[in-house]
Amino acid sequence: VFDATCPLVTKVHVEIAKMHAEGRAIVMIGHAGHPEVEGTMGQCEGGVHLVETVDDVAKLVVRDPARLAYVTQTTLSVDDAALIVAALKQRFPAITGPKKDDICYATQNRQDAVKFMAPAVDVVIVVGSPNSSNSNRLREVAALRGTPAYMVDRADQLDPAWIAGKRRTGVTAGASAPEVLVSEVIARLKAL
């Protein structure tokens, strides 16, 4: 089961199949429990190492550092993956990356928009599912900029207290959030 909001998901699987056929061990940069990560890791029994942080890279033990490749979960942004890729390249200079960029730029663009928006609003509402990695990250990006941020699946989950006394509310949505839900959240915010 995959969140196929980014068409690069299947490209990642093709890339992993090629890397595996070349006899490479694969490092996947991503989040444990994410459906894409689970499916990708299951594709190559025992041949995929998951790293979520730079600290994970430091602890990584591989059989042959000269036969190592990496891919990233497609819903990570360039910012999320850059430090980990740099740590992998520093620790394993022979590591190879994907032939094509496997990061979903829709995710990066949304995060960039939240970085721009968050300082200009009093609160950010993210329309998205709690199990959506990119929706959670949008909330975190706003919060890291000092703007209170909340995530809702549906308009009826909005808490009026979140916007009480606030002048400006920013709204964003995860990559897989249907437009109809976003419209309903905006309508509810206007009513409140």
Side-chain angles (χ1 to χ4, degrees), residues 19-40:
M19 293 169 172
H20 191 66
E22 292 170 356
R24 296 184 180 279
I26 300 154
V27 176
M28 177 147 202
I29 301 168
H31 300 298
H34 188 277
E36 179 187 349
V37 170
E38 295 294 318
T40 301

Side-chain angles (χ1 to χ4, degrees), residues 65-140:
R67 308 285 307 152
L68 197 57
Y70 74 88
V71 295
T72 64
Q73 176 181 319
T74 60
T75 55
L76 294 181
S77 72
V78 175
D79 292 348
D80 292 338
L83 290 173
I84 298 171
V85 170
L88 283 168
K89 288 180 176 180
Q90 182 177 9
R91 180 144 185 250
F92 305 104
I95 196 168
T96 61
K99 299 279 189 270
K100 295 187 180 203
D101 196 355
D102 60 354
I103 294 173
C104 184
Y105 283 94
T107 297
Q108 181 67 43
N109 292 343
R110 280 178 170 80
Q111 289 183 21
D112 288 345
V114 169
K115 288 175 189 175
F116 180 78
M117 174 181 62
V121 299
D122 300 309
V123 63
V124 171
I125 304 296
V126 178
V127 182
S129 173
N131 65 357
S132 164
S133 176
N134 66 73
S135 295
N136 278 296
R137 185 67 175 126
L138 290 170
R139 186 187 50 72
E140 290 168 6

Side-chain angles (χ1 to χ4, degrees), residues 144-166:
L144 287 171
R145 277 150 187 80
T147 304
Y150 306 95
M151 188 165 42
V152 296
D153 257 332
R154 302 177 319 274
D156 64 1
Q157 293 176 332
L158 284 167
D159 183 342
W162 296 342
I163 61 168
K166 307 287 195 269

Side-chain angles (χ1 to χ4, degrees), residues 12-60:
V12 171
H13 290 137
V14 169
E15 198 67 43
I16 283 179
K18 287 179 190 174
M19 293 169 172
H20 191 66
E22 292 170 356
R24 296 184 180 279
I26 300 154
V27 176
M28 177 147 202
I29 301 168
H31 300 298
H34 188 277
E36 179 187 349
V37 170
E38 295 294 318
T40 301
M41 293 185 68
Q43 183 178 334
C44 299
E45 281 294 318
V48 181
H49 305 275
L50 177 64
V51 296
E52 297 183 83
T53 66
V54 171
D55 288 341
D56 291 345
V57 173
K59 299 172 193 168
L60 187 61

